[in-house]
Amino acid sequence: MASISMTVNGKSVTGTVEDRTLLVNFIRENVGLTGTHVGCDTSQCGACVVHVDGIAVKSCTMLAVQADGRSVTTIEGLASGDQLHPVQAAFREHHGLQCGFCTPGMIMAAVDMINRYGANLDEATIRHELEGNICRCTGYHNIVKAIQAAANEMAGLTQAAE
Amino acid sequence: MGVEGIGARVTRKEDKRFITGKGRYTDDIALKDMTQAVFVRSPHAHAKILSIDVSKAKAAPGVVDVLTGADLAGDKIGGLICGWMIHSKDGTPMKAGAHPAIAFDKVRHVGDQVAVVIAETKNQARDAAELVEVEYEVLPAIIDLAGATAPGAPQVHAEAPNNLIYDWEIGDKAATDAALASAARIVTMDIVNNRLSPNPMEPRSAIGSYDEAEEHFTLYNTTQNPHVARLVLSAFVGIAPEHKLRVVAPDVGGGFGAKIFIYPEETVALWASKRIGGRPVKWTADRTEAFLTDCHGRDHVTHAEMGFDANNKIVGFRVHTIANLGAYMSTFSSSVPTYLYATLLSGQYDIPAIHANVEAVYTNTVPVDAYRGAGRPEATYLLERMMETAARELGEDPVELRRKNFITSFPHQTPVIMCYDAGDYEAHMSKALEASDYAGFAARKAESAARGKLRGIGLSCYIEACGIAPSQAVGSLGAGVGLWESAEVRVNPVGSIEILTGSHSHGQGHETTFAQLVNERLGVGINNIQIVHGDTDKVQFGMGTYGSRSGAVGMSAIVKALDKVEAKAKKIAAHLMEASEADIVIENGELKVAGTDKKLPFFQVALAAYTAHNLPAGMEPGLKEGAFYDPSNFTFPSGTYVCEVEVDPETGKVEIMQFVAADDFGNIINPMIVEGQVHGGLAQGIGQALLEGVSYDTESGQLLTGSYMDYTMPRADDVPSFNVMHTKTVCPGNPLGMKGCGEAGAIGSPPAVINAITNAIGVRDISMPATPAKVWAAIHGNA
Ligand code: FES
Ligand code: FES
């Protein structure tokens, strides 16, 4: 067993976990944030994507102890209060979700993608970048549209702020 | 059309919780004192269980109990059932073997459950499961459906000699034989429909909880039909009488059929909770368990012959199919390769004689049941591969051959039970051809050829029967349940509304579309309308969501209840405004006296119904009405899909250059949601055609595709953006004129893809999934 502490969505949390405890289980069971999902056992589906120190990580592929002392953002920490993150808003606007199970991971992966590419995201890049996220419901069509729209919008926002 | 009414592209009410991580799926629920269950599963495809020693596991840290099939039998918990009786052509009933929730004498597929470990934590349960010692006598297994009925093949169930569950037929054999005997040309095909794993992204999960004081059970479960689950678990499995069992389906992360069925794990979670004194028991599948236990879909092998006259008109169609139902008969498995399949073999074509013979067999594989489309994709694939091949062999353009054989007047009675009520096949065909620039294909092919690529185009014209189903009709065909739907409309005193529906949404957006219907009728804003579903304690009995039935059947029930609410509201308004009831109209949320400026807002009428200070003489207070709606027929969505591919002869890789889907769904409530349903179906169909396939080692019976490392799910860069469009013939059979859109994409797309590939590379057939290796081998003659 190990004692760990980390920041999750801006709040500091501590816990005692088995060495083999995965970050996703720590988030879901110890911290009680169930927006991060588990869709596979082989690090393929991306339902579990969170940000660790600002970078997208599959939380089923990281031990909780590896996140000790680091800062984790989950889907629950993305909006500022009632203000949805532009990627969240775009998923709703463009019907980028159906059952919603893949959605938290998709949104967290998309935010990371937009952080890396800015407005330079075309359809082919988005589709390629989504290779670590599986959605069974949407056929990806509207997810791609949503990410493209959010990227454009965020680029506009950044330009406006500059 | 109002901004929130029928036809509006309203963004979804349910989305906020999902995009903010506040969805509540079964595995998100943590009950007080909850324990965790892990199943011990058979590593063998077929074996006798000689002994099970649980003593070490029981002594392991954190273990609460370890239970086996003998415990289950001792408590007289019944087996799982198949709810649709099929009779063989000789009149004998289907031969179903027992399906215990935990195997006790024999295991019949890899993954069959032999014991359950219940512990404080999942890791403890997992560790202890490793300590359960099971001694097996391994038996030879039968995996391949083609050999299942062969003499000497291993027997899966003693009840089904030669592994034959039924040998069923439909249609007029003599007429079909005669038609084929007189045909000018006969085209013959052997077609395999590959076995698939549905793979909703949320793994199945169940929490069973027993209240000792009340002798009452609660089940939280990933189910598409909570009332049917309660009925089966009560009436057949015998967990508890219905009033002592509550089934809750919270947010459910996709279903596609796989979550219709009543599975062993929820049965065990309920029973085990009682066994351990009422502590809740949670089980959640990991993905490998999902591959090993969620019912698979498809898995047909078919030999078919289609006869044409000298003018290329179809004269007869003869089909023989072997359907693999796996090791046990799942809840609706028997209906899929029979009434959901062979009744659609006429497709969009006027075929005077059809005969189909279907043999369903047991094998030592995961049970097979409905998966998105359920029988209709198999029928469509067979028919549309046949039409394409026939066109090539008869030397006729595939478009013209289809056109020539289209049904053009309605209603149309097919030789296989179905009576098509409405349709215009030419309309979606021309729309799809135009959108895909079919006429310009030759130029595109030449352009590809100049780059060393092989370009192909393929069509598929599908029909499906959905809006399942008229109860009397399905009852006469063997269904154990009626397939109506229920609704209750509760108007609150302040005029907000709750709709209680027996339908269940697991991605389809009912919370939005159902509210749009109410908005259209009563003018109440959709934010003042709550859709309540998925809880047997809250909602009246209902049949759930599958078979594209929630619009055509579920919403029709809401319409019927709304009719009653409206009638009563009009009576009250007429009374309050001293007008004649016949003069009251409802517009924009107000009840008006036609031709005057007298009006009352809807909420005032609702309030009047509840204060009851001034109601018409003899009227009961309140404004709440329920209805049950039983459809008079199936609905028949149809469409034309065009797929254009480019194949790289060097690698065998297929790229989809364009995919056009023109569907006739009748009236549409929310086009955004309907398009989303089509997109998802197309990706699943393209997945079947290019990527997906459950694979077993036929010797050992080991599942070779047991994870996402081995089973190829369609990913974002495997599919294109889709070009989706609609034509419309209104369904005359239901009050909204709707047809159903949930399965179309998965039904229509596989043959379009394979027709395009075979067109591109110039081969007669290629089996699904058409992987690069297979395509390369086909091109280079090594198939
Ligand atoms: S759960 Fe992490 S990738 Fe599937
Ligand atoms: S929305 Fe259901 S898996 Fe993506």
Side-chain angles (χ1 to χ4, degrees):
Chain A
M1 298 294 260
S3 295
I4 55 171
S5 62
M6 66 185 81
T7 308
V8 178
N9 300 334
K11 290 197 199 103
S12 79
V13 300
T14 57
T16 308
V17 297
E18 285 185 84
D19 294 352
R20 61 178 163 173
T21 302
L22 301 171
L23 178 58
V24 66
N25 296 122
F26 181 74
I27 292 169
R28 287 179 59 80
E29 286 147 35
N30 297 53
V31 188
L33 294 173
T34 56
T36 304
H37 297 152
V38 178
C40 72
D41 335 317
T42 50
S43 200
Q44 303 275 311
C45 77
C48 61
V49 172
V50 299
H51 293 178
V52 177
D53 294 335
I55 308 245
V57 164
K58 287 181 170 171
S59 61
C60 72
T61 308
M62 187 173 193
L63 296 169
V65 292
Q66 289 175 296
D68 187 28
R70 302 174 76 172
S71 172
V72 175
T73 306
T74 70
I75 186 71
E76 290 93 339
L78 199 58
S80 341
D82 265 356
Q83 184 69 38
L84 292 176
H85 186 282
V87 176
Q88 290 173 310
F91 268 67
R92 178 164 69 183
E93 194 56 36
H94 295 276
H95 191 33
L97 62 147
Q98 291 182 21
C99 79
F101 195 79
C102 73
T103 311
M106 283 285 176
I107 290 177
M108 297 310 281
V111 171
D112 177 82
M113 194 191 303
I114 295 170
N115 287 344
R116 284 181 289 119
Y117 285 87
N120 301 323
L121 268 174
D122 56 13
E123 180 178 341
T125 311
I126 296 171
R127 287 186 181 275
H128 178 71
E129 283 282 332
L130 282 179
E131 69 170 1
N133 291 76
I134 303 178
C135 174
R136 191 56 150 170
C137 297
T138 64
Y140 304 99
H141 183 106
N142 287 336
I143 291 178
V144 173
K145 264 182 28 192
I147 297 175
Q148 183 102 60
N152 293 343
E153 193 198 323
M154 286 166 72
L157 289 181
T158 331
Q159 275 162 19
E162 273 166 4
Chain B
M1 165 180 103
V3 289
E4 294 185 337
I6 289 179
R9 302 178 78 89
V10 181
T11 57
R12 298 199 317 171
K13 278 158 59 74
E14 48 269 80
D15 282 357
K16 186 166 180 201
R17 67 177 187 273
F18 296 128
I19 57 181
T20 55
K22 302 286 167 50
R24 188 166 177 264
Y25 302 88
T26 302
D27 190 56
D28 298 342
I29 297 169
L31 302 179
K32 192 167 171 291
D33 289 333
M34 191 166 73
T35 62
Q36 303 285 338
V38 166
F39 284 86
V40 178
R41 298 188 179 280
S42 169
H44 305 294
H46 198 194
K48 267 193 199 141
I49 301 173
L50 300 178
S51 67
I52 304 179
D53 182 354
V54 300
S55 55
K56 284 194 195 122
K58 269 194 171 164
V63 170
V64 178
D65 208 347
V66 182
L67 299 168
T68 65
D71 299 319
L72 190 83
D75 285 355
K76 305 223 168 359
I77 301 296
L80 296 156
I81 56 146
C82 177
W84 196 307
M85 172 53 74
I86 298 292
H87 286 87
S88 288
K89 56 189 180 195
D90 66 5
T92 56
M94 65 188 187
K95 300 187 170 66
H99 187 184
I102 303 180
F104 57 90
D105 55 347
K106 215 169 117 165
V107 288
R108 293 182 172 86
H109 66 93
V110 172
D112 212 352
Q113 49 287 334
V114 291
V116 62
V117 177
I118 296 148
E120 300 294 338
T121 71
K122 190 149 185 179
N123 277 342
Q124 287 171 331
R126 273 201 188 109
D127 291 346
E130 300 284 325
L131 303 174
V132 173
E133 288 170 4
V134 187
E135 202 187 336
Y136 295 100
E137 178 191 327
V138 178
L139 303 169
I142 175 74
I143 302 300
D144 192 15
L145 82 171
T149 54
Q155 294 294 294
V156 183
H157 290 272
E159 294 87 341
N162 300 320
N163 298 314
L164 185 64
I165 300 167
Y166 53 74
D167 180 2
W168 173 90
E169 68 177 345
I170 191 171
D172 187 333
K173 184 170 188 313
T176 307
D177 289 347
L180 287 169
S182 70
R185 279 289 291 272
I186 292 180
V187 179
T188 302
M189 289 200 86
D190 290 286
I191 289 283
V192 176
N193 206 290
N194 46 332
R195 179 185 269 248
L196 303 174
S197 177
N199 274 298
M201 289 315 296
E202 178 206 23
R204 285 191 300 115
S205 179
I207 306 171
S209 177
Y210 179 66
D211 181 331
E212 284 197 315
E214 297 291 333
E215 298 178 359
H216 183 280
F217 289 87
T218 303
L219 173 68
Y220 296 89
N221 194 199
T222 48
T223 172
Q224 298 175 219
N225 41 348
H227 280 95
V228 177
R230 187 180 67 165
L231 175 67
V232 171
L233 289 165
S234 296
F236 298 95
V237 181
I239 293 284
E242 278 176 284
H243 66 293
K244 291 291 185 187
L245 172 58
R246 173 187 180 200
V247 179
V248 184
D251 285 328
V252 174
F256 314 115
K259 293 173 182 169
I260 297 172
F261 323 119
I262 320 312
Y263 285 94
E265 291 86 357
E266 48 260 33
T267 308
V268 170
L270 282 167
W271 162 71
S273 174
K274 185 175 181 185
R275 284 282 301 217
I276 64 168
R279 291 183 67 185
V281 175
K282 180 195 268 187
W283 167 81
T284 300
D286 57 31
R287 183 56 60 184
T288 291
E289 249 180 326
F291 278 107
L292 286 171
T293 64
D294 290 7
C295 286
H296 292 170
R298 320 283 191 253
D299 209 356
H300 284 192
V301 169
T302 295
H303 177 76
E305 299 146 281
M306 186 177 270
F308 293 84
D309 70 12
N311 298 317
N312 294 346
K313 293 268 291 173
I314 306 167
V315 296
F317 190 29
R318 187 162 55 203
V319 173
H320 176 241
T321 293
I322 307 175
N324 190 350
L325 295 191
Y328 299 102
M329 290 186 74
S330 169
T331 318
F332 290 111
S333 56
S334 55
S335 65
V336 177
T338 49
Y339 291 110
L340 297 180
Y341 163 69
T343 54
L344 271 303
L345 286 171
S346 197
Q348 299 183 2
Y349 311 110
D350 186 3
I351 306 181
I354 299 176
H355 180 257
N357 174 205
V358 178
E359 292 174 271
V361 299
Y362 277 123
T363 59
N364 293 114
T365 61
V366 174
V368 178
D369 204 325
Y371 165 54
R372 200 172 196 166
R376 291 152 290 169
E378 295 90 318
T380 302
Y381 188 69
L382 174 64
L383 195 54
E384 290 304 290
R385 288 289 299 120
M386 181 61 106
M387 289 305 282
E388 193 79 18
T389 308
R392 292 173 195 166
E393 295 183 358
L394 300 172
E396 175 133 24
D397 183 88
V399 169
E400 290 314 314
L401 182 68
R402 288 180 168 93
R403 200 168 253 154
K404 181 177 279 181
N405 284 286
F406 272 164
I407 294 161
T408 50
S409 75
F410 297 89
H412 174 88
Q413 178 64 53
T414 72
V416 277
I417 296 182
M418 293 297 179
C419 182
Y420 301 166
D421 53 3
D424 182 349
Y425 307 144
E426 181 57 41
H428 44 67
M429 167 105 111
S430 356
K431 193 159 185 163
L433 294 177
E434 196 187 312
S436 60
D437 184 21
Y438 188 78
F441 172 72
R444 296 193 296 277
K445 186 175 175 73
E447 189 276 326
S448 293
R451 286 184 287 108
K453 301 281 165 61
L454 305 170
R455 205 170 182 109
I457 196 161
L459 254 73
S460 158
C461 296
Y462 77 89
I463 190 162
E464 58 162 322
C466 56
I468 291 173
S471 298
Q472 209 183 344
V474 295
S476 72
L477 302 177
V481 287
L483 287 168
W484 44 266
E485 196 47 270
S486 70
E488 187 175 304
V489 176
R490 281 190 200 158
V491 181
N492 295 315
V494 291
S496 67
I497 294 178
E498 282 138 23
I499 302 288
L500 287 74
T501 169
S503 300
H504 182 272
S505 185
H506 28 279
Q508 297 89 339
H510 295 173
E511 289 169 51
T512 306
T513 40
F514 289 13
Q516 285 181 257
L517 165 62
V518 180
N519 171 269
E520 179 81 22
R521 292 290 297 267
L522 299 177
V524 176
I526 60 170
N527 287 330
N528 288 320
I529 300 163
Q530 186 77 22
I531 307 300
V532 181
H533 67 147
D535 185 340
T536 58
D537 262 15
K538 291 184 185 161
V539 177
Q540 67 291 340
F541 198 97
M543 297 310 298
T545 290
Y546 40 82
S548 306
R549 67 191 304 275
S550 298
V553 189
M555 289 181 86
S556 294
I558 300 175
V559 167
K560 296 292 177 197
L562 282 170
D563 288 346
K564 296 183 192 173
V565 165
E566 251 187 52
K568 186 166 181 183
K570 282 182 177 173
K571 278 200 176 80
I572 297 171
H575 177 75
L576 293 176
M577 293 189 282
E578 296 178 340
S580 147
E581 195 189 321
D583 291 338
I584 306 288
V585 291
I586 303 185
E587 273 173 26
N588 301 321
E590 292 173 328
L591 289 97
K592 300 179 176 168
V593 182
T596 75
D597 57 2
K598 281 204 226 171
K599 59 187 182 186
L600 278 173
F602 179 73
F603 74 85
Q604 273 189 19
V605 176
L607 189 62
Y610 284 95
T611 59
H613 295 163
N614 184 15
L615 291 178
M619 178 182 272
E620 284 179 17
L623 195 50
K624 180 195 86 148
E625 300 287 348
F628 287 75
Y629 174 78
D630 199 1
S632 56
N633 192 356
F634 291 85
T635 72
F636 298 95
S638 63
T640 300
Y641 291 176
V642 178
C643 176
E644 190 166 322
V645 301
E646 197 175 75
V647 180
D648 184 343
E650 300 293 317
T651 61
K653 185 158 169 41
V654 174
E655 189 181 348
I656 296 181
M657 308 306 283
Q658 64 161 338
F659 201 106
V660 172
D663 295 288
D664 176 358
F665 296 139
N667 287 328
I668 286 174
I669 308 287
N670 185 327
M672 177 192 82
I673 288 176
V674 168
E675 287 159 17
Q677 289 293 307
V678 175
H679 297 155
L682 291 178
Q684 289 182 6
I686 291 170
Q688 168 164 30
L690 294 181
L691 306 164
E692 298 180 42
V694 168
S695 171
Y696 279 94
D697 182 300
T698 48
E699 285 292 305
S700 67
Q702 294 297 325
L703 180 66
L704 302 177
T705 47
S707 80
Y708 289 151
M709 308 283 278
D710 325 288
Y711 187 91
T712 317
M713 292 284 278
R715 293 177 190 254
D717 60 359
D718 294 315
V719 290
S721 280
F722 305 110
N723 191 0
V724 169
M725 60 207 64
H726 306 297
T727 58
K728 182 164 97 177
T729 56
V730 170
C731 173
N734 63 67
L736 290 165
M738 300 175 66
K739 295 189 180 179
C741 64
E743 298 161 290
I747 293 171
S749 55
V753 176
I754 299 298
N755 288 341
I757 295 173
T758 50
N759 175 254
I761 67 176
V763 299
R764 192 174 196 262
D765 191 26
I766 189 162
S767 66
M768 298 190 289
T771 58
K774 261 192 222 167
V775 174
W776 188 91
I779 295 170
H780 298 274
N782 303 335

